[in-house]
Amino acid sequence: MLRETLSLALTLILVVPVLPAAELPVRKVVLYKHGIGFFERSGRVPASETARLDFKAGEMDDVLKSLTIEERGGGKVSDIRYESSEPVEKKLSEFPFSIRGAQSLAALLDQLKGSRLELRFGAQDRVEGTIVSARVIPASERQAEKQELILLLDSGDLRSVDLLAASAVHFQDPKLQAQFQEYLAALNQSRNRDKRGVIIESSATAARDLIADYEIPMPAWKSSYRLILDAGAEPMMEGWAIVDNTTGDDWSNISLSLVSGLPVSFVTRLYEPRFVTRPVAELPQEAAERPILHAGVMENKEELQAAGGPRNGVRAMASPVAKAMTMGGLGGAVMDMRARDEVAMARKDFASSLAQTAAGRELGDLFEYSIDHPVTIRKNESAMLPFLQQRIQGRRLLIYSESYGSEHPLTAFEITNSSGKTLDGGAITILDGSAYAGESLMETVKAGDKRLISYAVDLGTRITTAFDSQSSLLRDLHFRRGILTTRTAIKEVKTFTIRNVDQRGKTLFLETPVRREYKLVSMTPAETTANTYRFEVKLA
């Protein structure tokens, strides 16, 4: 019968009337590379209605940090209400009782000692009294398990009641009944923690248009490219954006933009109530004085005068003098012959015929691709959207470094970004004459910048290295103020032997590490990166 009472309490909560709220559909989405999506919702809100936005619990911190509301129609936003995020354990701990998993009725009532209770036995028999205690009597060989309740009757008698024989249990205190309803409502809300409603109140009494902008966590959009080496003078570059709709709403004919770049973004806890620990401060307490034990006299005035005055004095200890020593040393150059490169494999796809791509524009340090047609992506679906298809400048090359661990260089293509747009970093698949040629990864390339894309091993070219180090000691000595300085110069010569067995000429980029202690003597590199020199060699 207790289950019937609890169900009734839950029913009372569910039938509370709720004012109608207008839904605002998604109109615009801007996705970034750092895990944030900017959303714009708008719609017509009827007269005397509020607007409602639903979010996941994990999105509320960003919503509270970024939500902006614009009303068109004469009204002003009066307040924005949302469901609190007080931890359910803290909320339930405020009640004078707790309901656990398989808790017995006796264990529940034992927490409510002193409460007035009415028990019904059948249609006519009723017992009223104040709860003294309740317990569970385990089953034995003679009897089954019992739940015993001890009541203090109005007559002053104590009476033991079998709880399992009662057909109904009713609390006579209305406040206690309300607490049970609130407790069950909190439990029910804790099971539905995924959705949070944000209610937007307005001072307008007539219908109005409302626009809501906010940001929420979203999967970063991904780039995938195809570099098509065909008969054209310049290769064709094709770019696809991979977009995931992980929200609970459909995106129907929305305006979609994709931003390349990494703006600063962070999470701050705004949704969860923040309880600050305060110091405890109390006024001094009045207390009885403790007895004080005074020390005995070791020397009195007469004894001191007989001894010629005080025998205690103060001595100042001189601190030791710090000594400084200056030393000179012999320095040498440390060489590191190793450089590291990482080549990752990407997913293969083929060239496509595209009807539309995306328009691009600079946004400060960012770059935005705006899809030039309405986009529809259903909830929990993903899509591939083309944002680039145009020819760019470039040339075929070979690139070699000893760190590759092979005598063969890599086939590469030097891309010059002549598209006028920023090429977002991503996987790139190379198609040579409509055939698959290899894959690579490409970093973000700004307009006018260049990148080397290596995608295969060139077995027609072999490179060997001969290392010969010559060193000579230059007795360049300086002695000044007790410091002896010796300078040593080391000269290195390194020889690369390159053999091209193919019947066509090639251009090779030879990479060697930059050594901060050394200077190049007889050669000038074609390019210098942060860690390597690149020498360009023409192979017949």
Side-chain angles (χ1 to χ4, degrees):
M1 190 59 196
L2 177 62
R3 288 194 296 267
E4 296 179 4
T5 306
L6 300 185
S7 300
L8 176 59
L10 181 59
T11 305
L12 293 176
I13 293 175
L14 294 179
V15 297
V16 174
V18 179
L19 296 177
E23 299 287 342
L24 302 179
V26 177
R27 305 294 187 188
K28 180 181 179 180
V29 177
V30 182
L31 299 180
Y32 293 81
K33 300 292 288 188
H34 66 304
I36 283 294
F38 177 82
F39 286 73
E40 179 184 296
R41 291 173 176 263
S42 62
R44 187 75 171 171
V45 180
S48 70
E49 285 193 14
T50 61
R52 178 185 176 91
L53 303 174
D54 287 323
F55 300 101
K56 297 177 182 178
E59 300 170 347
M60 288 298 294
D61 286 326
D62 286 298
V63 170
L64 297 178
K65 184 176 63 176
S66 61
L67 180 63
T68 59
I69 305 295
E70 178 185 355
E71 280 203 11
R72 297 176 181 176
K76 298 292 183 181
V77 176
S78 58
D79 66 86
I80 299 176
R81 296 179 288 106
Y82 58 92
E83 300 172 18
S84 175
S85 179
E86 183 180 11
V88 64
E89 294 81 7
K90 180 176 179 9
K91 186 180 296 185
L92 296 181
S93 66
E94 298 174 356
F95 291 89
F97 55 86
S98 65
I99 302 176
R100 295 180 293 273
Q103 190 177 36
S104 65
L105 179 57
L108 174 62
L109 296 180
D110 190 61
Q111 304 174 61
L112 303 174
K113 296 181 179 68
S115 301
R116 292 283 298 177
L117 194 67
E118 176 185 315
L119 290 89
R120 299 176 186 175
F121 299 88
Q124 302 295 330
D125 191 9
R126 297 186 180 185
V127 177
E128 295 182 9
T130 303
I131 299 175
V132 176
S133 65
R135 62 171 181 164
V136 176
I137 302 175
S140 62
E141 296 180 356
R142 297 182 179 180
Q143 64 179 11
E145 180 183 275
K146 294 180 61 178
Q147 296 190 33
E148 182 185 58
L149 174 67
I150 299 178
L151 290 177
L152 176 62
L153 305 183
D154 295 338
S155 62
D157 298 335
L158 290 176
R159 179 173 176 179
S160 175
V161 178
D162 184 5
L163 280 175
L164 298 181
S167 60
V169 177
H170 176 71
F171 294 102
Q172 294 183 332
D173 185 358
K175 292 184 179 180
L176 187 58
Q177 286 278 8
Q179 286 179 333
F180 265 94
Q181 294 178 0
E182 293 174 7
Y183 191 98
L184 295 177
L187 284 178
N188 181 65
Q189 185 180 6
S190 67
R191 289 193 297 268
N192 299 280
R193 302 299 291 176
D194 187 52
K195 287 295 183 181
R196 296 292 184 274
V198 176
I199 306 299
I200 303 171
E201 298 280 1
S202 173
S203 61
T205 57
R208 72 275 186 195
D209 293 321
L210 191 142
I211 302 173
D213 297 330
Y214 57 87
E215 66 178 42
I216 59 174
M218 285 292 295
W221 70 279
K222 302 169 284 287
S223 302
S224 175
Y225 294 92
R226 291 90 173 113
L227 182 63
I228 304 170
L229 309 178
D230 52 16
E234 296 180 339
M236 177 68 73
M237 175 71 81
E238 178 182 311
W240 291 81
I242 301 173
V243 178
D244 306 296
N245 179 7
T246 58
T247 66
D249 300 298
D250 293 334
W251 299 349
S252 300
N253 296 323
I254 66 166
S255 171
L256 179 63
S257 297
L258 311 170
V259 176
S260 173
L262 294 175
V264 175
S265 182
F266 56 89
V267 175
T268 181
R269 301 298 181 187
L270 298 177
Y271 183 48
E272 295 180 0
R274 187 176 299 169
F275 298 93
V276 179
T277 302
R278 298 175 295 161
V280 177
E282 299 288 349
L283 291 174
Q285 298 291 329
E286 294 184 359
E289 293 292 337
R290 295 175 53 192
I292 299 175
L293 298 179
H294 299 277
V297 175
M298 299 295 295
E299 294 177 337
N300 55 31
K301 181 178 179 181
E302 290 75 16
E303 290 174 342
L304 288 175
Q305 290 177 348
R311 290 180 292 180
N312 291 333
V314 179
R315 292 189 302 172
M317 300 297 295
S319 61
V321 179
K323 298 182 180 180
M325 178 168 33
T326 305
M327 302 180 62
L330 179 65
V334 179
M335 299 171 292
D336 187 356
M337 297 296 296
R338 296 174 298 177
R340 298 180 180 178
D341 291 327
E342 294 182 358
V343 178
M345 299 303 293
R347 182 179 175 180
K348 188 182 80 170
D349 211 325
F350 300 97
S352 306
S353 298
L354 306 181
Q356 294 173 312
T357 55
R361 67 186 180 106
E362 297 283 349
L363 292 178
D365 294 332
L366 310 178
F367 192 85
E368 180 185 43
Y369 307 95
S370 297
I371 307 300
D372 54 8
H373 60 276
V375 175
T376 297
I377 307 177
R378 305 300 178 189
K379 60 183 177 182
N380 300 320
E381 288 185 354
S382 301
M384 289 180 59
L385 304 170
F387 65 89
L388 175 73
Q389 188 180 51
Q390 67 184 84
R391 295 192 176 275
I392 62 173
Q393 299 175 3
R395 59 171 177 160
R396 296 175 186 263
L397 292 172
L398 301 180
I399 185 168
Y400 175 80
S401 175
E402 291 175 290
S403 63
Y404 297 161
S406 171
E407 64 177 0
H408 301 288
L410 297 177
T411 304
F413 199 87
E414 185 184 52
I415 293 176
T416 300
N417 185 7
S418 56
S419 66
K421 305 176 182 179
T422 296
L423 299 181
D424 184 71
I428 181 169
T429 300
I430 292 82
L431 303 172
D432 193 349
S434 72
Y436 170 77
E439 301 168 341
S440 184
L441 287 178
M442 181 180 68
E443 295 179 330
T444 299
V445 185
K446 290 286 188 177
D449 199 3
K450 296 191 299 184
R451 283 294 186 279
L452 275 173
I453 307 298
S454 59
Y455 55 91
V457 177
D458 180 27
L459 300 178
T461 305
R462 292 192 298 273
I463 301 176
T464 57
T465 303
F467 183 77
D468 183 19
S469 178
Q470 302 175 359
S471 62
S472 58
L473 181 62
L474 303 180
R475 298 195 177 276
D476 187 2
L477 306 178
H478 296 275
F479 187 83
R480 183 181 181 185
R481 295 183 180 180
I483 301 176
L484 177 64
T485 303
T486 302
R487 178 174 297 174
T488 303
I490 300 176
K491 180 180 179 180
E492 281 192 2
V493 178
K494 197 170 193 179
T495 304
F496 294 87
T497 302
I498 307 168
R499 183 182 181 187
N500 177 24
V501 300
D502 287 335
Q503 300 302 312
R504 59 182 176 85
K506 302 173 184 177
T507 300
L508 172 70
F509 268 1
L510 189 65
E511 282 192 346
T512 185
V514 173
R515 297 165 189 164
R516 304 304 177 188
E517 301 85 359
Y518 286 78
K519 295 181 180 179
L520 292 172
V521 176
S522 59
M523 298 186 65
T524 301
E527 295 179 355
T528 302
T529 69
N531 300 309
T532 61
Y533 295 117
R534 286 178 182 166
F535 299 95
E536 184 173 338
V537 183
K538 300 292 184 181
L539 305 180

